[in-house]
Amino acid sequence: MAQAIAWPQKTREMQSHHFDSTIWNDFKFRDDDIVIATWAKSGTTWTQQIVAQLLFGPDKDRAVAEMSPWLDIRVPPKAVKLPVVEAQTHRRFLKTHLPVDALVFSPKAKYIYIGRDGRDVVWSLYNHHVNANDLWYQALNDTPGRVGPPIGKPAATVRECWREWMDGDGHPFWPFWENVRTWWAIRHLPNVLMIHFAEMKRDMPGQMRRIGKFIGATIDESNWDQMVEQCSFEWMKKNATKSTPLGGAFWDGGAETFVHKGVNGRWCDTLTAEECAEYEARAVKELGPECAHWLKTGELAV
């Protein structure tokens, strides 16, 4: 007799300058919803673009950021956001940066989790934070509903940012290790797909087909080359206003700052061998050797 699946349960709320996880308590799932999850700066926007292409085909004018909102960011507030999401008539694909235990989990929705080496995350995050403008700080710190301290300016250098992130577990954003750990723990569920930034870089068309199969998308092969093109980093950088929240208004340099370099390994010339060893030992301690290896390489044991 098949064993009943123990579906994840929500056990806590996360509320901060960025988060209001209570929105999930009021969200009405549809059976075909798709949830795209990462810690942050791990290929979220890229995956949203891929899912949009798979579901709806190529369209250079599609406003993916509007179609696929970050549900648990606290601005705009849930009273504004929820009616907009509930009014969507297309197949919905939503974004979250929460750990599993701060979500309401649907057994029928599809969940895609994207991993990325934490060192690559920090280098991308530094660009995100150092180029954030006054509008970004005002939205996160000065609008009603913030819980906890405000988010401050970034460290002066990426090395200092790295040290703060390591010592403060994702500081000044939110905990990193628990996010990865909670999603890794449910990787075998039938409605969860684990993908990795490095694998997407190595074989984007292959990963697109893997995602398409998982979400049950019917691919029009006559559009395939155009779909792949519109998911390339070069195309997304050139057309970044469509895939970036508010068209990039929160960052100096606009949307092309948000869609920055899309490469790994920029930390290699900055971190010492000792610092890399520290990170890798921390990853094993926090995640276990199998998950730490996946997070570093994208190699996932069957």
Side-chain angles (χ1 to χ4, degrees):
M1 184 175 179
Q3 186 175 2
I5 295 174
W7 298 106
Q9 300 296 313
K10 184 170 185 174
T11 61
R12 58 176 170 144
E13 303 291 0
M14 287 185 70
Q15 294 174 290
S16 66
H17 42 66
H18 271 76
F19 285 136
D20 179 13
S21 66
T22 67
I23 193 170
W24 288 100
N25 304 338
D26 302 316
F27 176 71
K28 296 181 177 64
F29 276 99
R30 299 173 191 165
D31 289 351
D32 64 352
D33 281 338
I34 299 165
V35 180
I36 298 167
T38 66
W39 183 80
K41 311 311 294 181
S42 301
T44 330
T45 302
W46 193 5
T47 307
Q48 288 171 289
Q49 178 74 3
I50 288 171
V51 169
Q53 297 294 309
L54 292 168
L55 292 179
F56 311 115
D59 181 351
K60 62 183 179 61
D61 296 319
R62 182 180 294 119
V64 175
E66 292 181 18
M67 294 178 69
S68 178
W70 177 0
L71 198 66
D72 31 72
I73 193 169
R74 67 175 197 85
V75 286
K78 62 183 178 181
V80 173
K81 192 182 302 178
L82 276 176
V84 174
V85 175
E86 290 176 4
Q88 290 183 325
T89 57
H90 60 76
R91 187 175 179 187
R92 299 184 304 188
F93 54 117
L94 308 161
K95 162 184 167 180
T96 183
H97 286 319
L98 289 174
V100 174
D101 57 346
L103 287 171
V104 174
F105 191 92
S106 166
K108 294 187 176 180
K110 298 285 191 179
Y111 293 82
I112 302 170
Y113 186 77
I114 309 104
R116 192 182 190 189
D117 189 296
R119 292 164 289 196
D120 294 309
V121 165
V122 173
W123 258 247
S124 182
L125 184 70
Y126 183 72
N127 173 75
H128 176 93
H129 197 177
V130 79
N131 286 293
N133 60 27
D134 289 343
L135 183 62
W136 188 83
Y137 286 100
Q138 289 166 10
L140 294 176
N141 292 336
D142 301 336
T143 53
R146 192 192 80 226
V147 175
I151 190 167
K153 297 287 186 178
T157 67
V158 69
R159 177 183 284 281
E160 292 172 82
C161 177
W162 161 258
R163 192 72 265 161
E164 289 182 1
W165 187 89
M166 280 286 287
D167 292 345
D169 186 9
H171 180 82
F173 288 84
W174 50 85
F176 176 73
W177 302 110
E178 69 177 15
N179 186 286
V180 179
R181 191 164 53 236
T182 62
W183 285 97
W184 177 259
I186 66 167
R187 67 193 182 281
H188 295 306
L189 289 180
N191 61 336
V192 174
L193 178 69
M194 305 290 282
I195 62 176
H196 197 282
F197 192 96
E199 289 295 307
M200 293 167 71
K201 290 288 292 182
R202 278 194 283 265
D203 179 16
M204 187 185 71
Q207 292 300 305
M208 287 176 66
R209 290 196 182 275
R210 184 170 171 239
I211 294 168
K213 180 179 179 181
F214 174 71
I215 63 176
T218 300
I219 297 172
D220 181 349
E221 295 295 338
S222 67
N223 287 331
W224 178 250
D225 290 345
Q226 192 175 357
M227 290 163 62
V228 170
E229 179 190 1
Q230 292 188 12
C231 293
S232 68
F233 178 81
E234 293 76 18
W235 192 93
M236 289 186 65
K237 180 87 169 175
K238 186 177 178 181
N239 297 273
T241 55
K242 299 296 183 181
S243 57
T244 304
L246 293 181
F250 282 153
W251 294 274
D252 290 337
E256 289 191 15
T257 296
F258 185 87
V259 182
H260 184 44
K261 288 186 178 294
V263 297
N264 288 334
R266 287 183 288 149
W267 44 270
C268 293
D269 295 329
T270 304
L271 297 182
T272 65
E274 291 76 15
E275 287 169 322
C276 286
E278 176 194 4
Y279 166 81
E280 293 187 12
R282 177 78 175 275
V284 171
K285 178 182 177 182
E286 295 279 359
L287 306 174
E290 186 182 2
C291 182
H293 179 74
W294 172 74
L295 192 66
K296 179 180 178 181
T297 65
E299 297 171 0
L300 183 63
V302 177

